[in-house]
């Protein structure tokens, strides 16, 4: 499984506007709806699951990165959305720093294996400062998509 297979270019934004954690989760879920990755009727359930997950501990992992994620039985396939906030958001990250890079992952409820593998791949990708900097400076969804795709192909070689 590749990250790029979970991410539609239409579910990428390089200009997220949200200023709060709750608004950011909603804006990221909207990217999934706008890209036809999820149905509009599923958004409420997804937001509920994301907020429940955040209560367990912030998915703001530090270094300006958050990977909000949840399992949702209504969702048939794993899906991702990606966004960049130019101003940063207080996402209650582990290091206390603002968050700029957001990678939302939604998975079906039944099997944890693929969900955990996807989270691990996303974490490894975003652990590289060079990649984080390239993503933060991307000016279009196409540039973000190409950066992720190129990095995944390098890692396969």
């Amino acid at each position: 499984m590749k990250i790029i297979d979970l991410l539609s270019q239409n579910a990428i934004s390089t200009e997220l506007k949200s200023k709060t954690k709750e608004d950011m989760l909603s804006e990221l879920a909207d990217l999934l709806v706008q890209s036809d990755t999820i149905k509009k009727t599923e958004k409420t359930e997804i937001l509920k699951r994301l907020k429940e997950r955040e209560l367990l501990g912030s998915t703001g992992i530090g270094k300006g990165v958050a990977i909000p994620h949840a399992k949702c039985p209504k969702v048939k396939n794993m899906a991702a959305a990606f966004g960049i906030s130019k101003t940063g958001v207080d996402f209650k990250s582990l290091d206390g720093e603002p968050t700029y890079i957001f990678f939302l992952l939604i998975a079906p409820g039944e099997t944890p294996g693929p969900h955990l593998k996807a989270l691990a791949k996303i974490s490894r990708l975003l652990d590289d400062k060079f990649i984080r900097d390239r993503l933060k400076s991307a000016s279009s969804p196409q540039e973000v998509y190409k950066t992720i795709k190129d990095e995944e192909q390098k890692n396969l070689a």
Side-chain angles (χ1 to χ4, degrees):
M1 173 216 353
K2 292 191 266 184
I3 298 169
I4 213 66
D5 294 337
L6 306 174
L7 183 65
S8 161
Q9 283 191 52
N10 297 328
I12 299 172
S13 172
T14 55
E15 298 181 15
L16 294 172
K17 304 291 184 225
S18 297
K19 302 290 182 212
T20 67
K21 186 176 194 171
E22 193 160 304
D23 288 347
M24 184 59 71
L25 293 173
S26 184
E27 188 173 356
L28 290 164
D30 283 341
L31 288 173
L32 290 176
V33 172
Q34 292 164 14
S35 67
D36 287 329
T37 306
I38 64 165
K39 297 180 185 100
K40 189 173 181 125
T41 55
E42 296 169 334
K43 181 185 171 190
T44 303
E45 179 68 18
I46 286 170
L47 281 175
K48 176 181 168 233
R49 302 283 176 147
L50 287 167
K51 289 173 188 174
E52 287 171 355
R53 170 57 190 86
E54 289 298 322
L55 290 174
L56 298 174
S58 179
T59 56
I61 60 173
K63 300 179 185 175
V65 174
I67 310 173
H69 59 278
K71 289 187 241 164
C72 184
K74 289 186 176 191
V75 174
K76 301 289 180 253
N77 298 305
M78 200 165 2
F82 181 92
I84 301 291
S85 168
K86 301 293 186 196
T87 58
V89 174
D90 178 4
F91 210 76
K92 309 293 182 230
S93 289
L94 300 177
D95 63 3
E97 297 294 319
T99 303
Y100 300 90
I101 298 171
F102 297 87
F103 215 125
L104 175 74
L105 183 66
I106 300 297
E110 61 276 354
T111 54
H115 177 209
L116 295 174
K117 283 182 185 172
L119 282 172
K121 283 185 175 220
I122 293 166
S123 294
R124 274 195 302 277
L125 176 77
L126 297 177
D127 193 45
D128 185 316
K129 183 180 182 339
F130 175 73
I131 296 168
R132 287 194 312 272
D133 289 346
R134 279 183 58 199
L135 291 169
K136 271 175 73 172
S137 65
S139 58
S140 69
Q142 294 79 13
E143 193 177 339
V144 167
Y145 190 86
K146 183 179 180 338
T147 298
I148 295 170
K149 186 175 183 178
D150 290 350
E151 286 304 318
E152 282 197 302
Q153 285 178 333
K154 265 195 246 175
N155 292 333
L156 290 176

